[in-house]
Amino acid sequence: MFSAKPFDAALYSTLSLAMAFSGPWFTAEQLQMANKVCLWAFGLDWLVDYVATSPSEVDEIARRCLATAAGAPPTVDDDLTRLLADIRDELAASPAFAVLGPVWRDELQRMLQAMLKEWRWKSAKTAPTFDEYLGNADNLGFSFAFAAHWLHTTGPDIPADLGQVREASWAVQRVIRLLNDLGTYERDVSWGDLNALLLGTSRAEVERRIAELAARSRELIAPLRPAHPELAGYLERQMDFSAGFYQVADYWGTL
């Protein structure tokens, strides 16, 4: 699944550095799941955005992934569902899985639905509005990866404020979606991807929205600190890492 040229050494090292920067208080074992799920999501993104040639192919990818996440055996000779099954089984061993497992599966479904929506926009050459595009930020996959990390690092005492944690995650995801667009504009143009700057929105306007969304994200993160200091810090540092990283680099290699 990772044999395509854009999966170069820089992608792997940068992913692991992003996780390490975002949670320096976590052990390597605790960060392992975030690394694995992020890498899997990059493989999914590649298959959906650049390999699939029809909406039925994307629907089939989504069907296989959702079935696997729900407990079905992986498809024979399918690296995507084989790796997802490994992730699922490892997460299922967590004492938090009974409560956070459904959250993880819901985030997977949200991501897949958002990827399909973006695929259809691009296929039909129908540009969404800026707000429609931002509202589809689940296609980035940040909240899906965060849900896996949350599940993997949480003990048997499950927080009661699941909705607050998820809302903060979605807010950070929107910030990173736009930071990514500012940093990858040239690549998105050459690869034929959607980008906020291709929707009639100026760079200055995108930067203004990022500032507003980042401020809102910090407001949502702040109440989580007393009960969930590590998760709150991880969310904020993911956002701050992206703010610096996308000014100088990108995850993907060249086509």
Side-chain angles (χ1 to χ4, degrees), residues 138-173:
D138 284 316
N139 80 305
L140 183 70
F142 170 82
S143 291
F144 168 66
F146 173 73
H149 171 72
W150 181 15
L151 201 170
H152 181 65
T153 57
T154 296
D157 296 326
I158 310 300
D161 49 355
L162 298 183
Q164 289 179 286
V165 177
R166 296 188 72 184
E167 187 178 0
S169 169
W170 297 330
V172 169
Q173 180 170 248

Side-chain angles (χ1 to χ4, degrees), residues 18-19 25 27 52 64 89 97 111 139 164 168 183 246:
M19 301 312 129
W25 47 82
T27 65
R64 297 199 315 267
D89 291 346
F97 189 76
M111 178 178 64
N139 80 305
Q164 289 179 286
Y246 283 117

